Structures are given as C-alpha cells and as structure tokens.
C-alpha cells in the first residue's frame, strides 16, 4: 500500500490502497464513499501513527512554514491549497501539481449583514475569489493533479456549472481533454461559457444534475475517463484547506460557527474533515459548529434531519439557486456526520429569503451567486432559533462569485425574479428590505435637464430613507 495515504470506506470502514479504487469511487462491498486517510489520521494504526507523528512537523512548525510559503515565488507555494501540503500528501511529486494559484481567498468583515442577522461579528470566506470564481478550484487542483499522476488523458464531471468550469480550466492547464455533463437550461450563463472557453466537450443533457451524475457514473466504468465529481475523495482533500486558511486568517482562533451551502454535500464534508484533522493534530483546540443550509426546493438533507426513521429520500429538486439544485446528494452521509460531530444544524431557506440575502450581500460590496446567499438567509434562522447567539463568531462560506449568474441579479433588481406567491410569503420587514435594496437601472434621454431632475429626485429619496449603515456605526 502507498506509504503516504490510503482510502477508507466511510460506510463499512474497509481500507484499500489508493491505486485499487474503482473508477466510480464506490466501495465494492457496500457502495459507500471513500475518504483519504494518512499515517497520522485517527484509526490508521497505532504503531504507524506513533512513528509518523515524529516525522510530521509540530503544529508550531507547520504554522510557521505555511505562513512563510506565502512570500515564496514557487507556484506550489503560492497555491492556497499546496501551501498546506503536509496535510494532503496525495501526490508523489508536489512540484508537478496543476495549479492556478487557487485559495488564499479573502475573509471579509460583514458588519451590515451581521446587524441584519442579529450577531455582533460576522465574517465571509469568499471562495468565489478563486481563479474560476468558485470554491471548486481548491478541490480541482488536488484531484486533477492525481489524474495527471495516474496517466489519464480524459477527465469528466457532471455539474450544475461550477465544477465543470473549474475542471475545464485545470484540464486545459494540464493539457488533458475534458467532458462535462450539465442539465440543459438549468445552469447559469457565466458557468456554461467558462467550460466552452476552456475547451471542454460540453454535453447538455435533458435531465437534472442527479440524472447527469448517474449516467456519467456508468460511463466512467466503460472508458478510461477520470471522474472528477466530489465522490472522488481527492477533491475533498483540496476543499478542506479553507478550514486552515480561516483559522490562519483569524490568528489561530476558531469561530464558533461555520455556515455552508449544501448541494451534493461534498464541501461541508470537506470543511468538516479539515477542522477535525486540525484538532486531531493539535493545531486547534476545538472545531466550529458546522451548519448546512439548503434551498427549500432542494432539501433532502434537511428532511433527513427531521425524519424520525432517518431515511434518505431523494427529492425532485427545484430552485433558482441552480448550483444547489440537487435532489439526491452523493455525500449526505459524510455531511450528516460532520454536522452531528461538530454540533451543527441543517436549515432550509425559501426563494424569497435567498433573493433578499443575496441582495444584502451585494449591497455590502461583496456579492456572491445565489447558492452562496443561502448562508446569510440560513444564519438569520439559526439566530432566531437560538442556535447562534449574538456574541458568537460566525463565518459564512460564500462559494461562488456574483458574476457567475448575472441574469438572476438583473431579474431581481428589475422586479422580475420572484413570483407574487413567493413575495406574499415575505414579512413586512422583508418586503421593506426588498424595496430599499432593489436598484433597477434608469433609462433616460441623454439630456442634461432630464438627467439632473431624475438624479435630484433619486438622491432626495435616498437621503430621506436614511444613509446606509457604515461599519461601526451601529454599535
Ligand atoms: N455553492 C456553489 C456556488 C456550488 O456550485 C455548489 C455545488 C454548492 C454551493 C454546493 O456544494 O455540492 O459540495 O454541497 N456545485 C456543484 C457543481 C454541484 O456541479 O458545480 P456541495
């Protein structure tokens, strides 16, 4: 078996050598998903753990090394994933990894959103600031580097748009060919255009994401194609590194809560793995409560939590947050374990709540795509239910860039997004917020007097409504 890592089935616990994994990344005995484990992981083996721990730099040493790499000129050090390579030794030659300098994303203070949600201190880890505009890049650099090392020529994924954009870019960098399966008509333009731009063979299927993944899972067993969906456990190794970045950016303090959108549920699983491994290694003393937020129309995990029989029942997914329009999430077991192990919760939010939260994040000068905005909408509910208290520190994971789905934003501001029934479900306060946030463009004659009159009216109206809160002004 490989000295650096093994794969362990998260359902039955069976361990295999990394090279022995099936092309669909499923356990042949129980169909479970694998996770990557290392000699220092919990449950590797007592005698190996003892010797490996000696080889592993001590927590203080690692922190120093990771910080030092930020000033290096080497591509592998400039990557916010491979900077933490001691915690993901999955490739033999780290200098040959495929990197677009992913990671190293900002952690923004969100004072206005904090006030709206009812907490004193709110941060947003903006994974939309990655090279292709979503968190997928952190996982793609990891799994695609493994594909290259294993000698694959073709890679493929099923996607709601961001995985395909990311995979196409990394495949192009590596000189590999890529195939993407996407649900026809249900992905945002920004994402569709990316996979074409990066030269992927783009296949639009007349089905949803779940149908795309099912079909691709069968195809990869017939062709030498490397599957790059998040069932591939190496994706999650890259996607766990924002956990390290967050605590590093908070001077090694751990937030009380982390709020993550839930679709196929790979990302929440990965972040949980990152935090739990750091605790195991003594890099942090505790972990945040990890909360997963789903759209109401694509809420199988939320339903599972409320089901006394704890049965996973796939749903027919429907939401305008197309990134998380997933009814049969592959990694639900991993994610539910992370929620339970960290003491988190699973919430659902309506289309109206998502639209409002997205506009609020936009009005803060940060912006994100609709699927990311479920985090702020969900936080409001967590606070209302007493699961998050005012003085606790919360980090929202914003997963995608606002430019991924400009049509959603334009429709919202023109008042063409939400249906009357959806708006009817809003509270008075929410309706007032929508009205204040909506900024449809003015169409005017290019005449000085006309423009002046319109501006005067608008400026007076804005002044009468009061100035927008500025950081610190509310306290
Ligand atoms: N946010 C965004 C912007 C996404 O693109 C996704 C997933 C998620 C959240 C949910 O993450 O699936 O790990 O729970 N997008 C996948 C894709 C499914 O194909 O791009 P998850």
């Amino acid at each position: 078996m490989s000295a650096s890592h093994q794969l362990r089935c998260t359902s039955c616990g069976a361990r295999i050598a990394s090279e022995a994994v099936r092309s669909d990344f499923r356990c042949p005995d129980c169909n479970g998903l694998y996770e990557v484990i290392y000699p220092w992981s919990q449950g590797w083996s007592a005698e190996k753990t003892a010797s490996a721990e000696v080889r592993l730099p001590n927590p203080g040493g690692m922190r120093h090394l990771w910080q030092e790499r930020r000033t290096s000129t080497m591509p592998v050090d400039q990557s916010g994933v491979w900077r933490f390579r001691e915690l993901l030794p999955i490739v033999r030659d780290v200098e040959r990894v495929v990197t677009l300098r992913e990671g190293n994303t900002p952690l923004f203070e969100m004072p206005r959103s904090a006030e709206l949600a009812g907490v004193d201190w709110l941060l947003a880890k903006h994974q939309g600031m990655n090279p292709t505009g979503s968190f997928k890049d952190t996982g793609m650099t990891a799994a695609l580097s493994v594909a290259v090392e294993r000698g694959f020529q073709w890679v493929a994924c099923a996607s709601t748009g961001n995985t395909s954009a990311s995979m196409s870019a990394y495949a192009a960098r590596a000189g590999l060919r890529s195939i993407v399966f996407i649900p026809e008509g249900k992905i945002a333009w920004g994402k569709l255009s990316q996979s074409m731009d990066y030269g992927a063979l783009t296949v639009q299927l007349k089905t949803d994401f779940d149908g795309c993944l099912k079909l691709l899972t069968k195809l990869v067993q017939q062709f030498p194609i490397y599957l790059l969906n998040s069932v591939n456990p190496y994706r999650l190794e890259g996607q766990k590194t924002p956990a390290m970045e967050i605590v590093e950016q908070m001077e090694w303090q751990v937030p009380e809560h982390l709020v993550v959108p839930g679709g196929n549920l790979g990302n929440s699983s990965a972040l949980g793995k990152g935090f739990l491994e750091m605790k195991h290694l003594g890099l942090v003393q505790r972990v945040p409560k990890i909360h997963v937020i789903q759209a109401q129309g694509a809420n199988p995990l939320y339903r599972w939590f409320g089901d006394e029989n704890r049965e996973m029942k796939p749903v027919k997914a429907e939401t305008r947050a197309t990134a998380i329009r997933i009814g049969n999430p592959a990694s639900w077991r991993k994610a539910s374990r992370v929620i339970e192990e960290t003491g988190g919760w699973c919430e659902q939010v309506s289309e109206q709540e998502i639209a409002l939260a997205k506009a609020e994040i936009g009005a803060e000068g940060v912006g994100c795509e609709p699927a990311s905005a479920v985090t702020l909408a969900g936080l409001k509910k967590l606070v209302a239910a007493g699961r998050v208290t005012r003085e606790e520190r919360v980090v929202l994971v914003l997963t995608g860039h606002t430019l991924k789905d400009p049509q959603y934003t334009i429709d919202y501001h023109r008042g063409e997004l939400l249906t009357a029934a959806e708006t009817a479900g809003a509270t008075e306060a929410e309706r007032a917020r929508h009205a204040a946030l909506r900024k449809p463009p003015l169409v005017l004659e290019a005449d000085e007097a006309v423009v002046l009159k319109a501006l005067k009216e608008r400026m007076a109206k804005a002044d009468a409504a009061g100035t927008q809160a500025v950081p610190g002004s509310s306290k």
Side-chain angles (χ1 to χ4, degrees):
M1 286 199 187
S2 158
S4 80
H5 71 281
Q6 292 176 0
L7 301 180
R8 177 170 60 194
C9 174
T10 51
S11 290
C12 73
R15 290 204 241 158
I16 57 165
S18 53
E19 301 78 21
V21 72
R22 250 169 43 179
S23 51
D24 63 353
F25 293 101
R26 292 275 177 181
C27 172
D29 298 331
C30 73
N31 211 37
L33 291 178
Y34 287 103
E35 65 179 338
V36 183
I37 57 165
Y38 305 101
W40 43 264
S41 300
Q42 244 160 352
W44 175 279
S45 90
E47 117 241 7
K48 279 196 177 163
T49 305
S51 63
E53 263 171 6
V54 177
R55 284 203 307 274
L56 201 75
N58 63 30
M62 277 197 285
R63 286 183 201 177
H64 181 73
L65 195 59
W66 296 341
Q67 194 58 37
E68 207 176 57
R69 285 180 184 148
R70 295 190 69 127
T71 55
S72 160
T73 53
M74 274 170 63
V76 69
D77 288 343
Q78 289 181 349
S79 161
V81 170
W82 299 107
R83 198 157 68 77
F84 302 103
R85 53 188 171 268
E86 287 71 21
L87 298 193
L88 57 150
I90 53 175
V91 290
R92 273 189 295 275
D93 186 356
V94 81
E95 303 215 344
R96 296 185 58 197
V97 297
V98 186
T99 174
L100 283 163
R101 318 297 190 270
E102 52 290 319
N104 295 321
T105 54
L107 188 65
F108 291 128
E109 292 198 342
M110 305 286 284
R112 292 176 216 156
S113 300
E115 203 174 318
L116 292 165
V119 291
D120 289 338
W121 203 56
L122 180 63
L123 295 166
K125 177 68 173 162
H126 208 323
Q127 294 298 92
M129 301 299 179
N130 268 294
T132 77
S134 86
F135 71 97
K136 307 286 182 180
D137 295 342
T138 55
M140 210 48 78
T141 183
L144 201 120
S145 297
V146 173
V148 169
E149 201 171 86
R150 306 264 152 99
F152 281 90
Q153 297 294 316
W154 286 87
V155 292
C157 70
S159 179
T160 56
N162 279 326
T163 302
S164 47
S166 179
M167 183 194 72
S168 321
Y170 281 81
R173 290 297 291 173
L176 302 192
R177 293 169 210 271
S178 61
I179 307 172
V180 308
F181 281 15
I182 50 178
E184 196 205 8
K186 295 290 181 190
I187 86 164
W189 290 121
K191 305 174 188 179
L192 178 61
S193 69
Q194 281 180 291
S195 66
M196 295 193 275
D197 199 22
Y198 302 133
L201 171 58
T202 305
V203 184
Q204 293 188 276
L205 292 181
K206 295 186 168 94
T207 178
D208 53 12
F209 169 84
D210 303 295
C212 290
L213 184 56
K214 202 168 152 196
L215 193 77
L216 181 61
T217 304
K218 289 196 180 134
L219 290 177
V220 293
Q221 296 176 54
Q222 298 169 42
F223 298 103
I225 301 174
Y226 195 67
L227 181 63
L228 281 171
N229 278 95
S230 56
V231 291
N232 180 325
Y234 297 111
R235 278 267 313 273
L236 305 201
E237 291 311 290
Q239 283 175 216
K240 76 185 181 187
T241 57
M244 285 108 223
E245 280 191 5
I246 289 169
V247 287
E248 198 183 48
Q249 287 167 310
M250 291 178 69
E251 294 182 0
W252 292 94
Q253 295 191 38
V254 181
E256 277 72 33
H257 302 275
L258 188 77
V259 188
V260 193
N264 213 20
L265 299 171
N267 202 33
S268 34
S269 310
L271 292 166
K273 189 172 193 275
F275 276 107
L276 290 164
E277 283 181 352
M278 276 196 288
K279 179 161 179 263
H280 175 62
L281 289 169
L283 281 153
V284 295
Q285 298 312 309
R286 54 175 190 83
V287 298
K289 290 184 177 171
I290 298 184
H291 308 282
V292 174
I293 317 295
Q294 298 203 294
Q296 206 168 308
N299 62 355
L301 187 70
Y302 173 81
R303 284 171 188 244
W304 181 85
F305 265 91
D307 179 6
E308 354 180 286
N309 301 323
R310 285 282 154 112
E311 225 183 290
M312 174 46 74
K313 296 182 193 127
V315 302
K316 180 102 191 80
E318 201 47 79
T319 169
R320 287 189 198 92
T322 50
I324 50 171
R325 192 172 171 271
I326 295 173
N328 189 15
S331 295
W332 70 271
R333 263 184 219 283
K334 287 188 187 180
S336 62
R337 257 183 227 159
V338 160
I339 294 173
E340 285 179 337
E341 226 172 295
T342 63
W345 194 250
C346 184
E347 256 303 344
Q348 64 170 357
V349 289
S350 71
E351 294 297 302
Q352 181 273 127
E353 288 165 332
I354 298 172
L356 181 59
K358 178 172 146 46
E360 288 164 346
I361 294 167
E364 190 133 29
V366 170
C368 64
E369 70 163 281
S372 311
V374 301
T375 53
L376 178 59
L379 175 62
K380 292 176 190 168
K381 293 194 156 172
L382 294 169
V383 173
R387 296 190 189 282
V388 173
T389 55
R390 178 167 274 285
E391 68 289 350
E392 290 178 318
R393 292 159 301 178
V394 184
V395 175
L396 307 180
V397 181
L398 300 183
T399 44
H401 199 280
T402 186
L403 288 176
K404 288 279 189 175
D405 194 353
Q407 191 66 50
Y408 182 103
T409 314
I410 292 169
D411 288 348
Y412 174 80
H413 286 282
R414 284 191 176 145
E416 293 165 5
L417 186 79
L418 299 171
T419 63
E422 286 165 344
T423 312
T427 63
E428 268 313 307
E430 283 171 334
R431 252 177 260 179
R433 291 284 305 147
H434 280 297
L437 285 163
R438 254 188 211 125
K439 297 283 189 300
L442 293 179
V443 180
L444 299 172
E445 292 300 328
D447 176 277
E448 197 181 320
V450 172
V451 176
L452 199 62
K453 182 167 173 287
L455 289 189
K456 267 191 187 158
E457 276 170 21
R458 291 298 165 128
M459 290 164 80
K461 209 168 136 195
D463 287 343
T467 45
Q468 288 201 18
V470 288
S473 68
S474 60
K475 292 178 211 134

